[in-house]
Amino acid sequence: MKQVIAVIKPFLAEKVLEGLKRAPLEALSVREVKGYGRQKSYLEEYGRTEYSQAFLPKVEITMWVDDSRVEEIVRRVVEVARTGRMGDGKIFILPGESYETVIDIGVAGSSNGEDEKQPRRTSGRKKGK
């Protein structure tokens, strides 16, 4: 499992998410973030407002992807998010973090007769497996 983090321009976020709609993802989250890269001190018109590019608005899409599908996911994001201009964003690929427990908030109860109001717990993967 890998964690893929794409930091992209906000106006492309919906298109990227649409391109990932049927992608083989384990999970996905989206956040509005601000930051800068190599362009740090330049000024550019962003939409109709001028921003100091010290902290430009971006969208961060975090995905958890099976190792065998990482290249496919990265290709989909790049195809949509690349404009060819400075500030298009970055994609970070990290090893999937090991976790001890996952609690599925949306699934109540289990097949072993536990209280239906209790969240279902599943064991996490051990590091290195």
Side-chain angles (χ1 to χ4, degrees):
M1 185 70 62
K2 300 280 188 217
Q3 183 179 13
V4 178
I5 302 170
V7 181
I8 61 173
K9 292 181 176 183
F11 68 91
L12 292 171
E14 289 297 323
K15 289 181 182 178
V16 169
L17 291 171
E18 183 65 32
L20 294 169
K21 192 182 250 181
R22 291 187 174 81
L25 301 171
E26 295 297 319
L28 176 141
S29 66
V30 179
R31 298 189 298 166
E32 291 180 6
V33 296
K34 291 185 178 187
Y36 68 85
R38 288 179 298 199
Q39 81 276 6
K40 359 183 176 204
S41 63
Y42 301 119
L43 287 176
E44 177 180 52
E45 191 169 312
Y46 194 85
R48 288 183 219 139
T49 310
E50 213 175 69
Y51 280 86
S52 166
Q53 289 194 353
F55 291 103
L56 280 178
K58 299 285 184 180
V59 171
E60 179 182 295
I61 302 172
T62 302
M63 300 158 274
W64 288 267
V65 183
D66 187 71
D67 290 350
S68 64
R69 302 294 190 137
V70 170
E71 286 186 38
E72 174 186 352
I73 297 302
V74 169
R75 189 175 28 229
R76 287 183 188 208
V77 172
V78 169
E79 284 174 2
V80 177
R82 178 178 284 158
T83 66
R85 300 189 62 202
M86 185 182 288
D88 277 349
K90 299 274 187 277
I91 297 175
F92 303 91
I93 302 170
L94 308 167
E97 295 293 321
S98 69
Y99 49 86
E100 185 175 313
T101 303
V102 175
I103 299 173
D104 189 345
I105 296 170
V107 179
S110 69
S111 59
N112 65 2
E114 289 179 7
D115 182 354
E116 289 200 18
K117 294 188 185 219
Q118 292 296 318
R120 184 180 68 162
R121 291 177 175 258
T122 56
S123 296
R125 294 183 329 156
K126 299 279 188 215
K127 205 168 201 168
K129 287 189 178 181

